[in-house]
Amino acid sequence: MSTRTPLIQRSQELFERAQTVIPGGVNSPVRAFKAVGGTPRFIARAEGARLWDADGNELIDYLGSWGPMILGHKHPKVQAALRAALEEGTSYGAPTEREVRLAELVLQAYPSCDMVRFVSSGTEATMSALRLARGYTGRDRIVKFRGNYHGHADGLLVQAGSGLLTAGGGSARSAPSSAGVPQAFAELTLVADYNDPESLEALFASQGPEIAAVIFEPVVGNAGVLIPTPEFLEALQGLTRAHGALLIADEVMTGFRLAPGGAVERLGLEPDLVCWGKIIGGGLPVGAYGGKREIMEQVAPSGPVYQAGTLSGNPIAMAAGIATLEALAEHPPYAQLEAYGQALQTGLEEIARSAGVPATLNRAGSMITLFFREGPVQTYAEAVGSDTEAFKRFFHGLLEQGIYWPPSQFEAAFFSAAHGEAELKATLEAAEAALRNLAAGR
Ligand SMILES: *Cc1c(COP(=O)(O)O)cnc(C)c1O
């Protein structure tokens, strides 16, 4: 099958202009296509499961704005709520009814949480949850997992150095993974390996009394999709309880995507704090953190842990979040998303097998990654062992045929309630052509 290279002249012009005034031409790094090369598409508009770029090319969307757009773009209910809110004003710096309503909707879905505080991004949510965990426990160290992403707060931009565990029993040498993060901050962040209960046990054995919290992605999306093993989850829950550390589920990506109660509901976990973002803002900037009343009441102004925001609980953003969560409750799309995911998974696995391309597909509901390597892929080390050259060719093969897959092997693809038969068929046809070309070395 031959494909015609689409015209992207306008995107090229915009990208050149952008690079003179914005670092790398983008306001968030993955958008720049660095991992796959080529020119990022500038998007002009969207509807349902589709995007249109600045040159008018139509694309089937597997980014979903990196997670928020579970209902698809321009959902009528969300659009109507935004218009209504806009008529009333845009920001007051005083409380509004919509904040109370969205708080109630979030808490209804998460019975383990009594209170929630809204912020404006996932980054702020995790950063604030960690401050709260430290304030509540009076301890300074936190544990994260290699390859998990929790936004870009200083203490979370850390991955372990080459010697993760010392022979002496489990102290982690932590090194910042960004310039500008002081080593002194990084040293408070201990790094364990996802799906490796022993690495977590070792950290608690050596530094248990100093650990305020363990933060984790209950299903990983930010190394590509990784599914937690039951033994790993058991260790997480058990070790944090035994050592008096808080368990912080970062559901910024998975909350309301995998189930109404997020991944923790699906996995039967009882976290002490939960972080949200993405879907709860319905495409506008919203994050949140919540948990048991006793812990949340430590937050200012009821408690001593300071946290604030000029645009926190913004009425326009709250309106989009409320409409999204109400639409999800009225017409839960989860069975439909599971059916689409199953069909996409079976199709892609079959195509890769018959093309003779080594590949492993990991999926949780409407989050999916096709790793270019033999499986299983359960750990960060296994994920990074994928053939990123093969991924690049797969990505561009899809994009040329109008399928916008995330531009990195290590990101989840998302689909929405607006993806249907037509999108599935077009995606599988494009994937077949892309993988056959890949196998033929074209
Ligand atoms: C996206 C994401 C974040 C960061 O959210 P931002 O709104 O981009 O700051 C944090 N944690 C997880 C798991 C995410 O997927």
Side-chain angles (χ1 to χ4, degrees), residues 28 66 120-126 148-152 215-222 250-254 275-278 285-287 411 414:
S28 199
W66 297 101
S120 297
S121 67
T123 293
E124 267 186 277
T126 58
N148 281 200
Y149 178 70
H150 305 290
H152 62 88
I215 187 166
F216 73 110
E217 288 185 67
V219 167
V220 179
N222 289 295
D250 180 353
E251 292 239 45
V252 171
M253 184 182 286
T254 50
C275 301
W276 298 273
K278 298 187 174 133
V286 179
E411 299 284 355
F414 300 97

Side-chain angles (χ1 to χ4, degrees), residues 30 35-36 66 221-225 358-360 368-373 377 382-392 394-395 405-413:
V30 199
V36 290
W66 297 101
N222 289 295
V225 173
T360 302
I368 191 165
T369 299
L370 187 64
F371 288 105
F372 284 85
R373 63 162 296 164
V377 180
E382 286 164 351
V384 298
S386 300
D387 180 350
T388 51
E389 283 303 314
F391 174 81
K392 248 189 227 183
F394 172 68
F395 168 81
W405 203 255
S408 163
Q409 171 73 96
F410 309 112
E411 299 284 355

Side-chain angles (χ1 to χ4, degrees), residues 200-225:
L200 187 62
E201 247 170 65
L203 290 179
F204 272 107
S206 64
Q207 298 172 76
E210 293 174 60
I211 295 173
V214 178
I215 187 166
F216 73 110
E217 288 185 67
V219 167
V220 179
N222 289 295
V225 173

